[in-house]
Amino acid sequence: MLKITDLKAKVEDKVILRGINLEVKLGEIHAIMGPNGSGKSTLASVLAGKDSYEAEGTVEFLGQDLLDLDPEERAALGVFLAFQYPVEIPGVSNMNFLKTAINSIRKQKGQDPMVAKEFLARVKEKSALVELDAALNSRSVNEGFSGGEKKRNEIFQMAMLEPKLGILDETDSGLDIDALRIVANGVNTLKNEDNAFIIITHYQRLLDYIIPDFVHVLYNGKIIKSGDKELAKELEAKGYDWLKEEAEAV
Amino acid sequence: MANKEDALLEELTQQEYKYGFTTDIESDLAPKGLNEDIIRLISSKKEEPEWMLEFRLKAFEKWKKMEEPKWAHVNFPKVDFQDAHYYAALKPKVELDSLDEVDPELLKTFEKLGISIDEQKKLTGVAVDIVMDSVSVKTTFSDKLFELGIIFCSFTEAIKKHPDLIKRYMGSVVPMTDNFYATLNSAVFTDGSFCYIPKGVRCPMELSTYFRINEANTGQFERTLVIADEGSYVSYLEGCTAPMRDENQMHAAVVELVAMKDAEIKYSTIQNWYPGDKNGKGGIYNFVTKRGICHESAKISWTQVETGSAVTWKYPSCILKGDNSVGEFYSVAVTNHHQQADTGTKMHHIGKNTKSIIISKGISAGKSNNSYRGLVKINKGATNARNFSQCDSLLMGNDCGAHTFPYIEVKNKSSKVEHEATTSKIGEDQIFYCNQRGIDTEQAVSLIVNGYTKEVLKQLPMEFAVEAQKLLEISLEGSVG
């Protein structure tokens, strides 16, 4: 479904990604770990289409090269990014925002706007999934939300938009153990044979709840090691230094 | 991708003023220039009584000795007041009994604007007094209002039919010599609207006037007077669009509101005059004096959505004379391209326990300049006066300016005055967040702007709010790249 080939990215002449190769198939969960500054969040932003990055290489997704598309076109194709720092949009209710998003995507696909009844039913179902207080939906997008509420709201939006590829950018950082469990439960419920997830995280603990099929270590803009969930446990025990040494020795 | 956005931006900023067309109707035009003869001509064309002519001539004498105010944060070439026509009436000037008698050209113009009288007549609950170049064309629903004792007519008609009210209240809130433009208006005003709500009557419909400048090079000088007698209520709407012109046209209106004991006036404006082209050529100069006086326990609420004009100079204000009276000012002012706006309000607390609230939302885009200027003045006798002001500025792009000039004068220790101000930029982060959810940049901007202005827009009557939202979208198209 997703095939990243020799992806490089820089921002204002600063090279951050130095040739990423990664293939994600339907039904898979990939975890990407790595020390600070290794390029994890840049990878997420480049996949979503943030234009402050200059990217080269190819990112094949459902038969198209994502790098040729605008961010909203990527969203319509089924790419969703759960932001590390979700932004606030004062005065725009969460409901209105989601309705606009869903209908923009439907419009791009040549579909009619979603009828109100179906929309409300989906809101009810999906907000229960992440235990999101119904009152939050009438508040402005992320405004005055606690850190945990913002992250749960990201997962709620993901559930509402039903993407093909969900990218979670450090969704677990700053979460207490209950919120972590709720977020993980959301992802596990959404996961099926017809979608895939890339989970970017610092810590192994999220991977106790969301079991990845593959774990990749990103360091200095490259994937330096891939493995299964055991690799995450090894990293937790030993840190990154042994891998850094290994990478630099090459 | 960057190229694509540039192309989109290019396409959208090329967007010309949507309502730029002129109507070809023969005009009854006075010669250019301003002198005593012209004023006598205006007065006689309008078949005015002697006292009205005297008022005009007195104002003209005062005006000749006055100078244009220079303190506003705006820049424009000096206006040559001798190089404009001061009177233009539509021909034929006869009383019309039905729409069939209205010039078909005129009807077409209204249709283009989407405000055909036909449509308006069908709209239940909205009475429209359309002012096109100075002379009122037709007043609808007046029969229904008449039953309640409400007077809603053109200013000219009011001078003839209700001279006592005009003599008593004209110039009582905005004195003849108040400022350069108000004094000029007093001398040469050609028409406008008059409204009187009798004691204890709640006006059952929104009263509305559409203004439109049509004749090339005609300064338009409107005068509006709204009187709400004791315990009455009225909501008044004013909206405008104007045809495209190359030369600058000046507009200097005067609006006076009188809210007697326990009365309430809600005055809403959507202003969409031609702002000039994207290079700053042409456009309307809008120098307006709007002020209301509140007697005991009365309330005046100004709501304005300003998107048009090349230069705006406008401060709808409240004199809170009576104890327990309330003044409100809600404003959205948008400037794009080379527009300049210096707008705000004055809240003058005189009575005890008077309250005022100011919510101002400025949006600047392109190479424009947007200033908020407000005065909160609390007199010595205004015990327990309260004011809350919030002035927010939103910037789009890097070439525009936003300025805030709040003045506070407090002479009573028991008063409480709060002022909050924020300046923000539509963040690339906000736009990218929307984009990532499938919302394109144009729609993201309109979503963010609607959210930002919601507090003000919700003060407008429903159908007006929808119109305002559309107007904001049109005004800001292509502002973010």
Side-chain angles (χ1 to χ4, degrees), chain B residues 106-179:
Chain B
L106 184 59
L107 290 178
K108 260 192 229 163
T109 305
F110 290 134
E111 271 162 34
K112 276 190 220 169
L113 281 169
I115 54 153
S116 70
I117 305 177
D118 224 45
E119 203 176 32
Q120 291 297 343
K121 274 185 107 174
K122 284 180 204 153
L123 272 175
T124 46
V126 181
V128 182
D129 178 46
I130 295 165
V131 179
M132 181 156 170
D133 266 60
S134 321
V135 173
S136 284
V137 178
K138 188 74 192 168
T139 304
T140 47
F141 288 101
S142 48
D143 295 346
K144 198 170 171 185
L145 296 172
F146 182 77
E147 283 170 27
L148 290 161
I150 294 171
I151 304 164
F152 180 43
C153 63
S154 72
F155 209 89
T156 307
E157 194 182 330
I159 290 168
K160 286 177 195 154
K161 293 188 181 164
H162 311 284
D164 295 345
L165 286 170
I166 297 286
K167 275 193 211 168
R168 186 163 165 201
Y169 292 107
M170 182 178 61
S172 71
V173 191
V174 179
M176 180 203 281
T177 54
D178 189 79
N179 67 73

Side-chain angles (χ1 to χ4, degrees), chain B residues 55-73:
Chain B
F55 178 92
R56 289 175 181 278
L57 292 173
K58 203 171 150 194
F60 181 60
E61 280 308 310
K62 299 276 185 194
W63 180 77
K64 283 196 286 190
K65 297 184 195 90
M66 295 170 90
E67 275 188 34
E68 291 110 308
K70 301 249 166 57
W71 41 262
H73 191 80

Side-chain angles (χ1 to χ4, degrees), chain A residues 166-234:
Chain A
I167 304 164
L168 277 64
D169 187 8
E170 296 199 24
T171 301
D172 55 330
S173 48
L175 288 189
D176 61 35
I177 201 75
D178 290 331
L180 191 74
R181 185 185 47 76
I182 291 166
V183 163
N185 181 45
V187 173
N188 289 330
T189 314
L190 292 175
K191 186 198 169 211
N192 59 41
E193 287 309 305
D194 203 31
N195 61 20
F197 292 90
I198 293 175
I199 294 173
I200 292 168
T201 179
H202 263 300
Y203 307 106
Q204 194 268 334
R205 61 170 195 170
L206 178 64
L207 306 178
D208 286 339
Y209 298 94
I210 304 174
I211 311 296
D213 299 295
F214 300 93
V215 174
H216 310 278
V217 179
L218 193 62
Y219 174 64
N220 203 13
K222 278 189 161 182
I223 290 175
I224 54 168
K225 194 161 185 82
S226 296
D228 58 13
K229 61 181 184 189
E230 295 309 318
L231 176 59
K233 284 185 181 139
E234 203 178 344

Side-chain angles (χ1 to χ4, degrees), chain A residues 60-75:
Chain A
E60 206 186 302
F61 181 70
L62 300 172
Q64 295 202 53
D65 190 345
L66 284 187
L67 300 185
D68 295 337
L69 304 177
D70 285 335
E72 61 270 24
E73 294 169 329
R74 302 183 196 197

Side-chain angles (χ1 to χ4, degrees), chain A residues 39-69:
Chain A
K40 302 190 297 294
S41 286
T42 299
L43 176 62
S45 295
V46 168
L47 292 178
K50 191 162 177 143
D51 68 358
S52 41
Y53 296 98
E54 230 175 281
E56 53 179 280
T58 57
V59 181
E60 206 186 302
F61 181 70
L62 300 172
Q64 295 202 53
D65 190 345
L66 284 187
L67 300 185
D68 295 337
L69 304 177

